């Protein structure tokens, strides 16, 4: 059983682990457990796996009436987790973070079923911290995680990513045609996550005319919350080389065609971009627990493997940052080379191996 979710940063690694397990053990049965109403309830079935939903929801950090229902939802989720475990009889349970994994792994650990945690970020999530003591193995992507977890349980596997991005060779021509791009212009790929990032969108709006005039074209995943607004603004601008997408499904093609990437620094984005080996400007979201996106980005900036642009300073600074990047001879190539050194291409396989060891 694999549990967790809430965001793509939890869901896609979970699916990558399931795919790697299935590849090695074709006859295996895998059941996902997520939170009702969250995106895993759609994304997991799309990937070909069965999923059950729990009513569990997170505690709001501010005073909120919704917190009053938290104990009832939690008890209901624990009860359903007991039923699901009894029916499915798992040999092991994997938690990828997000509050949906809490009740299921709590029950599994109470029954002595082997559990493995996968922590994507450089700052551990609350659910994983609570479950760590009784977990059999904890797979991490960053050094220094012993400040959150028992040292003897930690495996440095990296974050599992979608298989199709591991090899981008020969895909650039296909990508130019697929996205309708000009082969003579530099491609700026902009990623704000599946829901979108307001600051990144505002920053591209502010600089898009100057970017186009300078010879850039922008392939821009703006997210479903902002798509209509961004599309209308771009259409009214009459700019020809700003390509707005609500969501980019063919990420292998997007990465293959990019000359430079502007992105949030969620765990999944950071892991994928290290494998892609392109120069990256990270604009970390300030609206996440313990500011972990800044910590994720700084792990790369400190190795001269990426550039950091603060969220509060991003609007009006994107083109200037790109100009500085490409003006310094060899800087873009150095960033691409250095970020590649920090990548972990076999993360999913290493997690499968850790899982096999705790089941044995």
């Amino acid at each position: 059983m694999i549990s967790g979710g809430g965001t793509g940063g939890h869901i896609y690694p979970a699916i990558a682990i399931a795919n790697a397990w299935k590849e090695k053990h074709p006859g295996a049965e895998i059941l996902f457990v997520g939170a009702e109403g969250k995106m895993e309830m759609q994304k997991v079935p799309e990937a070909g796996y069965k999923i059950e939903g729990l009513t569990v929801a997170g505690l709001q950090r501010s005073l909120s009436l919704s917190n009053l229902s938290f104990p009832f939802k939690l008890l209901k989720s624990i009860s359903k987790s007991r039923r699901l475990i009894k029916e499915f009889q798992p040999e092991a349970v994997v938690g990828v973070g997000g509050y949906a994994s809490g009740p299921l792994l709590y029950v599994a650990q109470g029954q002595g079923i082997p559990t493995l945690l996968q922590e994507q970020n450089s700052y551990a999530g609350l659910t994983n911290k609570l479950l760590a003591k009784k977990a059999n193995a904890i797979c991490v992507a960053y050094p220094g995680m012993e400040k959150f977890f028992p040292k003897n349980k930690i495996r440095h596997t990296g974050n599992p990513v979608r298989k199709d991005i591991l090899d981008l060779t020969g895909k650039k021509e296909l990508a130019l045609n697929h996205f309708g791009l000009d082969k003579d212009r530099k491609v700026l790929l902009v990623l704000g996550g599946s829901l979108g990032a307001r600051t990144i969108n505002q920053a591209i709006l502010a600089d898009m005319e100057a970017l186009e005039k300078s010879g850039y074209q922008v392939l821009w995943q703006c997210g479903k919350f902002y798509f209509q607004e961004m599309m209308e603004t771009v259409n009214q601008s009459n700019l020809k080389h700003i390509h707005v997408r609500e969501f980019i499904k063919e990420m292998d093609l997007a990465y293959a065609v990019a000359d430079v990437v502007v992105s949030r620094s969620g765990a999944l984005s950071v892991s994928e971009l290290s494998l892609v080996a392109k120069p990256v400007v990270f604009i970390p979201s300030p609206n996440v627990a313990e500011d972990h996106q800044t910590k994720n980005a700084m792990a790369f900036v400190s190795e001269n493997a990426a550039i950091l642009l603060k969220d509060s300073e991003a609007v009006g600074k994107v083109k200037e940052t790109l100009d500085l990047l490409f003006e310094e001879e060899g800087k873009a190539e150095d960033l691409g080379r250095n970020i590649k050194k920090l990548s972990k291409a076999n993360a999913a396989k290493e997690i499968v191996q850790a899982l096999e060891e705790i089941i044995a």
Side-chain angles (χ1 to χ4, degrees):
M1 294 173 93
I2 302 177
S3 185
T7 66
H10 293 306
I11 298 160
Y12 293 118
I15 292 169
I17 294 167
N19 290 342
W21 185 268
K22 206 80 166 148
E23 203 172 290
K24 198 166 180 188
H25 305 280
E29 282 185 69
I30 298 172
L31 177 66
F32 279 77
V33 177
E36 284 178 4
K38 294 294 182 182
M39 66 188 284
E40 59 263 29
M41 302 308 291
Q42 178 195 342
K43 298 293 180 190
V44 169
E46 282 176 5
Y49 295 101
K50 190 183 172 196
I51 186 166
E52 292 278 353
L54 302 179
T55 55
V56 69
L59 268 173
Q60 301 303 310
R61 286 165 190 261
S62 56
L63 284 171
S64 168
L65 285 173
S66 64
N67 283 343
L68 295 175
S69 64
F70 175 79
F72 304 101
K73 287 180 176 176
L74 182 61
L75 289 170
K76 195 177 173 185
S77 296
I78 289 171
S79 175
K80 186 170 181 180
S81 295
R82 283 203 181 97
R83 178 174 65 76
L84 290 173
I85 284 174
K86 190 178 178 184
E87 289 170 1
F88 193 72
Q89 297 284 304
E91 289 178 86
V93 180
V94 177
V96 295
Y99 38 74
S101 62
L104 190 79
L105 271 86
Y106 170 77
V107 172
Q109 290 177 345
Q111 294 184 14
I113 297 165
T115 58
L116 178 146
L117 303 180
Q118 200 261 321
E119 176 54 61
Q120 299 92 22
N121 289 295
S122 57
Y123 193 94
L126 178 62
T127 306
N128 279 349
K129 282 194 279 190
L130 292 172
L131 295 166
K133 194 177 176 184
K134 291 187 177 177
N136 299 73
I138 303 165
C139 296
V140 302
Y142 291 90
M145 298 303 283
E146 53 277 359
K147 61 178 175 279
F148 305 111
F149 303 130
K151 192 174 181 179
N152 61 323
K153 296 180 181 183
I154 293 173
R155 311 285 188 93
H156 290 275
T157 59
N159 283 326
V161 299
R162 292 169 271 202
K163 206 174 174 184
D164 58 3
I165 71 155
L166 294 177
D167 186 11
L168 304 179
T169 314
K171 290 185 179 179
K172 185 168 183 176
E173 199 64 42
L174 180 63
L176 286 167
N177 293 329
H178 179 80
F179 295 116
L181 300 174
D182 184 334
K183 65 179 175 60
D184 297 319
R185 282 179 168 260
K186 267 198 177 84
V187 178
L188 167 61
L189 174 62
V190 179
L191 304 169
S194 53
L195 301 178
R198 176 174 288 281
T199 302
I200 291 182
N201 289 337
Q202 295 300 330
I204 300 303
L205 281 183
D207 279 6
M208 63 184 181
E209 195 172 332
L211 285 164
E212 183 162 313
K213 274 186 185 165
S214 297
Y216 288 97
Q217 56 194 328
V218 182
L219 178 57
W220 177 9
Q221 178 181 285
C222 68
K224 72 173 186 178
F225 288 163
Y226 305 98
F227 179 63
Q228 212 54 48
E229 181 193 344
M230 298 301 115
M231 196 72 197
E232 284 169 13
T233 311
V234 170
N235 286 342
Q236 286 163 14
S237 73
N238 292 320
L239 294 170
K240 299 283 183 282
H241 298 285
I242 311 296
H243 304 268
V244 186
R245 295 280 192 284
E246 178 181 326
F247 183 74
I248 300 173
K249 200 174 176 186
E250 308 81 1
M251 282 308 301
D252 57 328
L253 298 184
Y255 288 137
V257 82
D259 292 291
V260 59
V261 184
V262 168
S263 175
R264 283 300 198 207
S265 46
L268 182 67
S269 300
V270 168
S271 298
E272 289 191 350
L273 288 163
S274 64
L275 287 162
V276 169
K278 300 284 174 84
V280 182
V281 177
F282 285 124
I283 304 177
S285 169
N287 309 312
V288 291
E290 308 294 343
D291 197 23
H292 69 246
Q293 285 206 6
T294 299
K295 294 180 173 78
N296 290 351
M298 285 308 299
F300 287 78
V301 173
S302 64
E303 299 290 330
N304 189 31
I307 292 169
L308 186 139
L309 185 55
K310 285 184 182 174
D311 187 271
S312 58
E313 298 170 2
V315 178
K317 284 281 180 74
V318 171
K319 182 183 174 292
E320 184 186 318
T321 304
L322 298 185
D323 287 347
L324 290 170
L325 166 63
F326 287 109
E327 273 169 19
E328 190 179 325
E329 196 176 335
K331 173 79 170 170
E333 291 77 11
D334 285 348
L335 289 181
R337 201 162 36 246
N338 291 341
I339 202 169
K340 181 76 171 175
K341 287 177 193 169
L342 301 174
S343 68
K344 290 263 195 179
N346 296 314
K349 288 179 181 174
E350 288 184 30
I351 292 168
V352 164
Q353 192 180 331
L355 204 45
E356 288 171 334
E357 286 169 15
I358 67 170
I359 291 171

